[in-house]
């Protein structure tokens, strides 16, 4: 039985999972895989998301950023907006949080049409969480304890997808900090604690 390629996409990982488990896929795997399917198409799916919203130049404070239009109609900025990112792990799963940075400090409150804010409107309840990967914490613990090759591949896919989405953000923004464990580091922490991540979370 052939193994997965390290560059396997989500469709290939799911097909391999069914193959090695005779078509029997757990609910937890399905939840994580579905969530990653949404994440995989976050920029191409029709539905809106906080991640897509902050990448839309129409949401930026173009005056503050010294923006101008290029000959082909694209908006170019002299100064990239500064943001800070944080990896969050909780009972829901994994979340990537974003904070505008003003004068070196993270903005955690609502701001509307403020001259010093890089976004025209910043509402933390709508835009702070850029996206979520459901059930990632529970799946990571399961994967460490009894996961198969496809489970590990799914977790690696999640890690690389998040890193890719952060790289896309770095093309439009100056990311001044990325705090918290990455998905790979979180999994390593689970391994170092022998799966008892809930007992010692800080």
């Amino acid at each position: 039985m052939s193994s997965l390629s390290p560059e396997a996409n989500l469709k290939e990982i799911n097909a391999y999972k069914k193959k090695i488990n005779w078509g029997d896929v757990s609910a937890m795997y399905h939840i994580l895989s579905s969530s990653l399917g949404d994440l995989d198409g976050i920029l191409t799916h029709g539905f809106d998301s906080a991640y897509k919203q902050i990448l839309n130049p129409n949401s930026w404070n173009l005056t503050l950023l010294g923006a101008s239009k290029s000959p082909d109609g694209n908006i170019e900025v002299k100064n990239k907006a500064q943001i800070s990112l944080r990896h969050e792990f909780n009972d829901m799963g994994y979340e990537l949080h974003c904070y505008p940075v003003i004068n070196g400090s993270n903005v955690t409150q609502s701001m509307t049409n403020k001259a010093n804010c890089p976004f025209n409107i910043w509402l933390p309840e709508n835009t702070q969480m850029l996206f979520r990967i459901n059930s990632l914490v529970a799946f990571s613990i399961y994967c460490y304890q009894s996961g198969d090759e496809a489970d590990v591949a799914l977790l690696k896919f999640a890690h690389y997808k998040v890193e890719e989405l952060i790289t896309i953000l770095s093309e439009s923004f100056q990311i001044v900090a990325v705090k918290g464990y990455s998905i790979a580091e979180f999994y390593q922490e689970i391994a170092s604690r022998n799966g008892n991540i809930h007992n010692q979370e800080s």
Side-chain angles (χ1 to χ4, degrees), residues 4-15:
L4 274 168
S5 154
E7 291 81 37
N9 61 31
L10 186 58
K11 191 174 179 181
E12 290 166 339
I13 295 169
N14 288 340

Side-chain angles (χ1 to χ4, degrees), residues 53-80:
Q53 285 173 25
I54 71 161
L55 281 169
N56 182 351
N58 293 325
S59 71
W60 302 348
N61 181 346
L62 298 176
T63 304
L64 177 68
L65 305 180
S68 60
K69 275 200 173 177
S70 64
D72 59 3
N74 289 325
I75 292 174
E76 297 177 344
V77 298
K78 270 190 211 165
N79 316 303
K80 284 184 177 181

Side-chain angles (χ1 to χ4, degrees), residues 38-54:
D38 291 340
L39 193 60
D40 205 17
I42 196 166
L43 291 173
T44 53
H45 283 340
F47 58 81
D48 214 356
S49 67
Y51 185 85
K52 274 170 80 168
Q53 285 173 25
I54 71 161

